[in-house]
Amino acid sequence: MAEKTKAPTADENVVVIGLGRFGGQVAESLTRLGHEVLGVDEDTKLVQQWSDRLTHVVQADATDEDVLRQIGISEFGRAVVGIGTDIEASVLTVLALTEVGVHDIWAKAISAKHGKILRSVGAHHVIYPEATMGERVAHLITSRMLDFIELDDDFAIAKTRAPRDAVGRTLADVGLRTRYGVTVVGVKAQGADLVYATPETVVPRNAVLIVAGTTEQVQRFAAAT
C-alpha cells in the first residue's frame, strides 16, 4: 500500500474508490468542481495514471476495514464506490465503508440485484450508469429532444427546439405550461448565452428551450416542436 500524500479531512471532500472509467470520470468531475478528492484503487497503473490529476491517490484494498481506517477514510463524510464488474469487491467495499462510519455512500451497480445487495449492506444511493445512459439515448433516438435527463419520481428535464408558433412571442403569451404542462426553465438564442426564463421572456427564432415536467409531459412537448 503506497500513499501519495495525506488524505484531506474536511467533511465536504470525497473519496472515490475504483478509478476505472466511471469512478475516474466522477473523481475528475468532482476535482473540476473544486472538491478535494481522494482516489483509491488496487491497480498500480490506475493509481499512477491519476496521481497527477487528483488531489490525493492511494493504492489500497478498499474491502479491508482496517486498511480504510489506516488511510483516514473514516474522516470522510462521503464516498463513491465506482467498482462495478467485481460484485464481491463492490459489496465488501460498501460494507467496509459502513463499518468505518462514512455516512453518505454512493455505489455503482450493474444490475437490480446488485443494487439491492448494495443497499442492504449500507449504500445510501445506488447508481445505474449503464441503464441510465441507455434510457437517455433511447429517448433521444425516438423523439425530437436535443438532450434529456430523467430524475426521480417521473420528473424530467429536456433541451428542445422552440415551437414555431412561439417565435417572437412571450412565454406568457404562448402558454406552454397550460398547453403541455411543462415549465420553461431557460431560453437560449442561437449564438447567445442561456438566460433564465420569465413569463415576459420573448422566444427568439431558432431558440433552444430548457423545459421541465413529468416525463410524459416533456415527451409530448418535444413531439410538438
Side-chain angles (χ1 to χ4, degrees):
M1 179 180 68
E3 182 176 350
K4 180 189 171 187
T5 186
K6 184 180 179 181
T9 59
D11 183 65
E12 66 269 16
N13 298 330
V14 186
V15 56
V16 177
I17 298 173
L19 296 175
R21 184 182 304 174
F22 173 77
Q25 187 172 24
V26 170
E28 191 168 42
S29 297
L30 286 167
T31 300
R32 283 200 305 268
L33 290 170
H35 296 274
E36 287 194 30
V37 176
L38 169 62
V40 181
D41 203 292
E42 275 195 297
D43 190 318
T44 304
K45 291 183 178 179
L46 283 174
V47 169
Q48 292 174 344
Q49 176 184 329
W50 288 99
S51 62
D52 295 328
R53 299 159 68 181
L54 302 180
T55 317
H56 311 270
V57 182
V58 176
Q59 181 183 357
D61 176 8
T63 66
D64 189 323
E65 179 185 337
D66 291 334
V67 170
L68 294 185
R69 293 187 189 281
Q70 289 173 22
I71 60 178
I73 300 300
S74 58
E75 298 174 347
F76 284 77
R78 289 176 290 179
V80 177
V81 180
I83 304 167
T85 54
D86 188 339
I87 294 178
E88 182 180 1
S90 166
V91 172
L92 291 176
T93 297
V94 169
L95 182 59
L97 289 169
T98 303
E99 292 298 320
V100 301
V102 177
H103 60 71
D104 193 18
I105 302 170
W106 297 70
K108 172 186 175 181
I110 60 173
S111 68
K113 183 178 290 186
H114 183 193
K116 186 175 182 180
I117 296 171
L118 290 173
R119 287 191 182 278
S120 72
V121 297
H124 304 94
H125 312 274
V126 176
I127 311 156
Y128 301 89
E130 287 85 0
T132 301
M133 180 56 70
E135 185 170 352
R136 177 168 173 252
V137 171
H139 278 288
L140 297 177
I141 290 171
T142 58
S143 74
R144 302 186 67 182
M145 287 181 276
L146 304 175
D147 205 351
F148 174 86
I149 300 174
E150 188 168 26
L151 307 176
D152 291 338
D153 302 321
D154 193 36
F155 184 83
I157 297 174
K159 181 194 294 184
T160 73
R161 295 180 178 85
R164 291 183 181 180
D165 64 355
V167 175
R169 302 165 63 188
T170 66
L171 291 172
D173 182 36
V174 177
L176 298 180
R177 185 176 182 84
T178 301
R179 291 160 60 189
Y180 300 100
V182 297
T183 299
V184 180
V185 179
V187 177
K188 186 182 187 305
Q190 193 171 31
D193 293 333
L194 177 74
V195 297
Y196 291 108
T198 68
E200 293 73 35
T201 301
V202 176
V203 180
R205 186 177 301 277
N206 298 322
V208 169
L209 305 182
I210 308 299
V211 301
T214 67
T215 302
E216 182 180 355
Q217 289 168 339
V218 169
Q219 289 174 327
R220 187 160 55 90
F221 173 70
T225 61

